[in-house]
């Protein structure tokens, strides 16, 4: 007489659902970790936008300087809004606020280094706001670099043409304005978490937190 009893169906079948969950979890984690990278890689490179902004501002800077040098005389300002806003031709051998007036050659090398650095960064840039900000810095740096290379008294010693005076602020030009505004934009992008690769820092943190919670 046989004493074997049929086994329960639940004991024979492996826990397929549990195994499936275990195998899927690492894949889900990998996808979560790569979300930010995929989002950044899907955006177009922005070097072209950077160069367009820089070229427009460089052209505007050179044009305004050419007009001012041809039509104005140093020491004879043109008043626009009383004494508060005026055009006055000056030649600055130093940096902003007339600092380092005896180190024009060093400022020329610094400007050249800035130009090279911005172009290198721009080759991998995917954020349009970052491209605009760096393009403004590049255009301004090139504008003043042209003055230092080609204006009197000679190469690497050229004096920058300034002509805009507003209130108590030192006399400046289009290139100076481009550099300052571009720098402010880049600082704001950094503070608010906008990355050069087109992503936002707080979104990356949120994705990571969601992946860990899952």
């Amino acid at each position: 007489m046989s004493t074997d009893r049929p086994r329960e169906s639940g004991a024979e079948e492996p826990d397929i659902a549990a195994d499936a969950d275990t195998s899927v979890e690492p894949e889900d984690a990998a996808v979560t970790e790569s979300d930010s990278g995929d989002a950044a890689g899907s955006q177009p490179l922005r070097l072209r936008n950077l160069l367009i902004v820089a070229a427009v501002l460089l052209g505007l800077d050179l044009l305004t300087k050419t007009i001012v040098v041809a039509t104005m005389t140093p020491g004879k300002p043109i008043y626009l809004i009383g004494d508060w806003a005026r055009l006055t031709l000056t030649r600055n051998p130093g940096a902003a606020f007339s600092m380092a007036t005896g180190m024009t050659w060093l400022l020329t090398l610094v400007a050249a280094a800035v130009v090279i650095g911005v172009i290198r960064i721009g080759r991998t840039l995917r954020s349009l706001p970052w491209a605009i900000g760096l393009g403004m810095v590049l255009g301004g740096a090139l504008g003043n670099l042209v003055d230092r290379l080609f204006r009197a008294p000679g190469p690497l010693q050229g004096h920058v043409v300034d002509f805009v005076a507003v209130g108590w602020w030192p006399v400046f030009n289009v290139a100076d304005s481009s550099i300052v505004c571009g720098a402010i934009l880049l600082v704001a992008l950094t503070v608010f978490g906008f990355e050069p690769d087109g992503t936002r820092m707080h979104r990356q943190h949120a994705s990571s937190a969601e992946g860990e919670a899952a």
Side-chain angles (χ1 to χ4, degrees), residues 44-63:
L45 294 173
R46 297 296 184 177
L47 179 60
R48 181 179 179 182
N49 302 100
L50 186 156
L51 295 177
I52 290 175
V53 172
V56 170
L57 292 174
L58 173 60
L60 182 60
D61 181 66
L62 296 179
L63 176 62

Side-chain angles (χ1 to χ4, degrees), residues 96-182:
F97 305 103
S98 298
M99 295 187 296
T101 56
M103 304 181 67
T104 306
W105 63 272
L106 179 59
L107 297 173
T108 304
L109 297 179
V110 171
V114 170
V115 170
I116 295 173
V118 170
I119 293 177
R120 292 191 63 178
I121 294 173
R123 294 173 60 185
T124 59
L125 202 64
R126 295 185 181 276
S127 168
L128 181 58
W130 270 86
I132 294 174
L134 287 174
M136 296 172 71
V137 172
L138 177 61
L142 284 172
N144 285 338
L145 181 60
V146 169
D147 282 4
R148 299 192 186 282
L149 290 176
F150 299 107
R151 293 191 184 275
L156 300 182
Q157 300 291 332
H159 295 180
V160 175
V161 174
D162 293 330
F163 58 91
V164 180
V166 178
W168 53 268
W169 198 259
V171 184
F172 59 94
N173 55 36
V174 174
D176 297 332
S177 301
S178 300
I179 294 173
V180 172
C181 293

